[in-house]
Amino acid sequence: MQISRITVLSGGMGGARFLQGLLHGVRGGTLPGVSPDAQVTVVANTADDIWVHGLKVCPDLDTVMYTLGDGIDPERGWGRREETWSVRTELAEYGVEPTWFGLGDRDVATHLVRTQMLEAGYPLSAVTEALCRRWLSPVHGEGLRLLPMTDDRVETHVAVADADADEPSGRRVMHFQEYWIRLRASVPAETVVMIGLDRSTPAPGVLEAIRDAELVVLPPSNPVVSVGTILGVPGLRAAVRDTAARVVGLSPIVGGTHVRGMAEQMLTSIGVEVSAAGVGRHYGARSRGGVLDGWLVDTRDEDALPALRDAGLEAAAVPLMMTDPDATAAMAAAAVSLVAPGATA
Ligand code: GDP
Ligand code: CA
């Protein structure tokens, strides 16, 4: 039997790059046992979302949408290609804060459309679907769906030690985007708080996409502030645990560190060992109450395999650097083979 329904729980840049390779492999027929027509559903993190200058910005949704819709700036890895920055310059002239958040002129159009639709009463999932009609449908037809994890407002905030802070605790709490963009994650994160997460509900179609999938993939996204928040939406972790699909993940930690991003700071803040084995054990085997059947690590982390197998996971080591769509498609193929070796080509 061929796999025809795949659901991926994605953050921004790591998830988007993986999806690009996955789709390349699926449609090119190079994924063992996966139908070239397979339906791919992306459940994206929305806890990075931020209101800036009156606009609702959804960085991870947009990174996935622009990347898979061929509108991304390939060098930056976020925002629109051929971007200009007049709006940002004009706002800075007015002295309007925040000045650290990069709102490109082309990008602003997306945020304007989104904000208007939200204010007209549409839920984020409906807004996302409308935006994807421009970006994804022309390239991918009906075979690709992008869903926000929830329609509710959820925001990741980060506490950092700050001697100058007004608060008696000597800490400063800021939106995740400020920690990442303004501070460049250069100071340790003491605590990460997901505001509103425990009261959120999965967006329409999310639980069904997990329940009805034949393969669920945790891409090499940030395990705390991307996949961690998605799994934190009430009901979502249970859906992954209970799905009849096989569940496979790929390590975002290679050779003891994140490749790009700040998974290291986030893992440290929640006390998880920064290693491929540490993240695999953090997600855990479904047979032992976790969310994974299989965990793929980089060849550099081959030493971790015995410990992962002891933890009840199927595990293998292959190159995990997403250098181009072919290399990434090979990672996706290895992930499928790890958990669905019986699927026929
Ligand atoms: P974000 O929302 O833009 O931070 O993106 P994600 O959460 O989807 O992914 C970020 C994570 O991707 C980083 O913390 C890295 O650990 C991981 N990552 C980025 N590039 C690579 C790569 O080439 N290989 C692997 N294995 N992981 C990567
Ligand atoms: Ca993100």
Side-chain angles (χ1 to χ4, degrees):
M1 205 197 62
Q2 286 206 316
I3 292 170
S4 58
R5 288 185 302 279
I6 303 175
T7 296
V8 182
L9 312 185
S10 176
M13 281 160 70
R17 242 179 222 241
F18 174 78
L19 282 158
Q20 199 175 36
L22 173 82
L23 285 160
H24 176 65
V26 170
R27 304 295 177 235
T30 63
L31 255 55
V34 176
S35 161
D37 302 322
Q39 172 78 40
V40 176
T41 304
V42 183
V43 176
N45 172 49
T46 57
D48 292 10
D49 295 8
I50 185 167
W51 284 86
V52 224
H53 305 301
L55 300 176
K56 172 80 162 177
V57 181
C58 302
D60 288 2
L61 281 172
D62 287 352
T63 297
V64 171
M65 185 174 81
Y66 291 155
T67 301
L68 304 182
D70 202 25
I72 199 86
D73 181 291
E75 271 81 53
R76 251 186 290 123
W78 58 271
R80 291 293 318 282
R81 65 166 88 237
E82 288 140 31
E83 189 56 284
T84 53
W85 303 92
S86 302
V87 171
R88 186 174 69 179
T89 310
E90 290 293 315
L91 286 167
E93 289 293 332
Y94 284 113
V96 183
E97 294 289 337
T99 49
W100 47 262
F101 197 86
L103 273 186
D105 301 340
R106 288 174 184 269
D107 203 19
V108 161
T110 302
H111 310 318
L112 282 168
V113 173
R114 173 185 291 127
T115 306
Q116 280 172 5
M117 285 189 72
L118 287 171
E119 292 192 338
Y122 290 97
L124 182 62
S125 48
V127 177
T128 304
E129 193 181 332
L131 295 170
C132 287
R133 249 175 256 138
R134 170 180 176 195
W135 290 106
L136 300 186
S137 306
V139 186
H140 300 277
E142 299 303 301
L144 176 64
R145 279 195 310 158
L146 175 60
L147 310 176
M149 66 186 198
T150 179
D151 279 332
D152 302 320
R153 182 168 177 168
V154 176
E155 278 185 17
T156 301
H157 286 217
V158 176
V160 301
D162 179 357
D164 302 326
D166 298 334
E167 290 175 45
S169 63
R171 285 152 121 215
R172 214 162 86 66
V173 182
M174 63 193 72
H175 192 287
F176 169 78
Q177 294 296 344
E178 185 176 354
Y179 177 71
W180 173 225
I181 300 169
R182 193 174 71 78
L183 297 190
R184 305 201 179 284
S186 58
V187 291
E190 294 199 337
T191 333
V192 182
V193 194
M194 283 81 177
I195 299 166
L197 187 61
D198 56 353
R199 295 183 305 275
S200 66
T201 52
V206 166
L207 294 181
E208 293 80 355
I210 294 167
R211 188 193 59 205
D212 300 341
E214 289 156 333
L215 179 71
V216 173
V217 186
L218 274 54
S221 281
N222 191 305
V224 184
V225 294
S226 293
V227 179
T229 44
I230 299 173
L231 290 173
V233 175
L236 224 141
R237 184 183 298 272
V240 176
R241 202 175 286 154
D242 297 341
T243 177
R246 302 285 282 155
V247 185
V248 64
L250 298 91
S251 179
I253 300 295
V254 172
T257 185
H258 53 235
V259 184
R260 52 182 84 79
M262 36 88 218
E264 198 170 326
Q265 291 87 321
M266 293 296 109
L267 286 166
T268 306
S269 79
I270 62 162
V272 172
E273 181 188 290
V274 184
S275 69
V279 178
R281 282 194 301 254
H282 168 64
Y283 285 137
R286 288 212 291 170
S287 56
R288 301 186 191 172
V291 293
L292 291 174
D293 296 311
W295 184 238
L296 212 54
V297 303
D298 187 82
T299 36
R300 271 167 276 181
D301 299 309
E302 207 167 358
D303 290 358
L305 296 179
L308 289 164
R309 289 176 186 140
D310 282 348
L313 293 161
E314 290 159 46
V318 298
L320 285 191
M321 297 304 287
M322 299 189 283
T323 43
D324 57 56
D326 282 328
T328 311
M331 288 166 50
V336 177
S337 306
L338 178 64
V339 293
T344 49

